[in-house]
């Protein structure tokens, strides 16, 4: 017997109105083009044709088993950059030199310098600035002023409420920040040596 395991990004959507559904995906196609779209609602030929035209993978009326999650919402998902007013500078910087393993979640208040990698299935949720010096294959949710990390095709990165497309990240360190409601990714040009 041969098996393969995949990590899949899934977006669940409640389909109540075809126009709103299509408008949402027209505006946010880049964020969700590589997701599996799980749709709760009536299968309409118009919506199915739209999703096929966009080459999106989808399922209708499927109940997925969910792990316990700390994030719950009763309002519809809106993908807009969150404008955060400037915070007082963080005085405490956590430095961690341990691997973030699969199934492990770090919830950090303040800033973090991680000197090790984030394995697939590992997760970091942080409200401050984040710098990761090794590869990220897990999930990052950062709402700080900026974050710095390397490119990784397996990472699931959300910065200021918006998914960061991994194809925009360079092989070396990248600075990701929100400037005037726009996410800006700047590669760090010189080689960084961490002492």
């Amino acid at each position: 017997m041969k098996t393969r395991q995949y990590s899949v990004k899934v977006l669940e959507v409640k389909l109540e109105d075809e126009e709103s559904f299509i408008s949402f995906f027209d505006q946010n196609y880049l964020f969700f083009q590589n997701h599996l779209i799980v749709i709760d609602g009536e299968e309409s030929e118009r919506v199915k044709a739209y999703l096929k035209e966009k080459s999106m993978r989808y399922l209708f009326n499927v109940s997925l088993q969910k792990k316990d999650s700390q994030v719950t919402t009763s309002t519809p998902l809106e993908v807009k950059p969150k404008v955060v007013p400037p915070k007082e500078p963080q005085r405490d910087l956590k430095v961690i030199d341990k691997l973030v393993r699969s199934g492990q979640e770090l919830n950090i208040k303040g800033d973090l310098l991680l000197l090790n990698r984030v394995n697939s299935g590992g997760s970091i949720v942080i409200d401050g600035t984040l710098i990761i010096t090794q590869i990220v294959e897990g999930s990052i949710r950062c709402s700080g002023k900026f974050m710095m990390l390397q490119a990784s095709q397996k990472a699931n990165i959300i910065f200021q409420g918006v998914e960061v497309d991994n194809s925009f990240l360079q092989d070396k360190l990248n600075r990701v920040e929100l400037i005037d409601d726009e996410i800006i990714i700047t590669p760090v040009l010189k080689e960084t040596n961490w002492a």
Side-chain angles (χ1 to χ4, degrees), residues 157-170:
I157 303 165
I158 305 291
F159 180 68
Q160 297 291 347
V162 177
E163 183 172 10
V164 175
D165 187 343
N166 295 332
S167 66
F168 293 120
L169 298 174
Q170 303 293 317

Side-chain angles (χ1 to χ4, degrees), residues 5 18 23 70 95 120 129 131 150 163 173 175 185:
Q5 179 177 343
E18 289 179 355
S23 173
Q70 294 181 336
V95 179
S120 180
T129 298
I131 300 173
Q150 297 180 32
E163 183 172 10
L173 212 53
R175 181 182 173 105
I185 300 173

Side-chain angles (χ1 to χ4, degrees), residues 25-138:
F25 281 101
D26 277 340
Q27 293 172 4
N28 299 294
Y29 172 74
L30 289 176
F31 296 123
F32 302 115
Q33 66 185 351
N34 295 320
H35 284 62
L36 172 63
I37 311 301
V38 177
I39 304 164
D40 178 20
E42 184 179 332
E43 287 187 48
S44 105
E45 291 303 317
R46 181 174 176 213
V47 168
K48 285 170 44 177
Y50 173 80
L51 293 169
K52 284 181 184 176
E53 172 190 324
K54 293 286 189 179
S55 299
M56 297 180 78
R57 294 171 299 279
Y58 63 92
L59 296 170
F60 275 94
N61 300 316
V62 174
S63 177
L64 300 175
Q65 181 180 0
K66 297 172 186 70
K67 292 183 178 181
D68 291 338
S69 174
Q70 294 181 336
V71 178
T72 58
T73 179
S74 59
T75 58
L77 175 65
E78 290 185 32
V79 179
K80 293 182 181 174
K82 182 170 78 175
V83 178
V84 178
K87 295 182 181 180
E88 290 287 319
Q90 294 287 337
R91 290 182 173 42
D92 292 326
L93 169 68
K94 285 191 178 190
V95 179
I96 298 177
D97 189 15
K98 291 186 179 177
L99 176 76
V100 180
R101 299 185 183 282
S102 180
Q104 183 180 8
E105 181 176 294
L106 297 180
N107 287 296
I108 305 292
K109 300 283 184 201
D111 300 333
L112 173 66
L113 171 59
L114 180 65
L115 300 172
N116 215 315
R117 63 183 283 133
V118 179
N119 278 352
S120 180
S123 158
I124 297 176
V125 178
I126 182 167
D127 67 359
T129 298
L130 174 64
I131 300 173
I132 303 176
T133 63
Q134 302 295 320
I135 190 116
V136 175
E137 293 182 338

Side-chain angles (χ1 to χ4, degrees), residues 152-184:
S152 172
Q153 296 305 312
K154 295 182 182 179
N156 179 5
I157 303 165
I158 305 291
F159 180 68
Q160 297 291 347
V162 177
E163 183 172 10
V164 175
D165 187 343
N166 295 332
S167 66
F168 293 120
L169 298 174
Q170 303 293 317
D171 288 335
K172 304 217 187 270
L173 212 53
N174 299 272
R175 181 182 173 105
V176 181
E177 58 192 324
L178 185 67
I179 300 174
D180 297 328
D181 294 336
E182 186 176 354
I183 291 184
I184 306 296

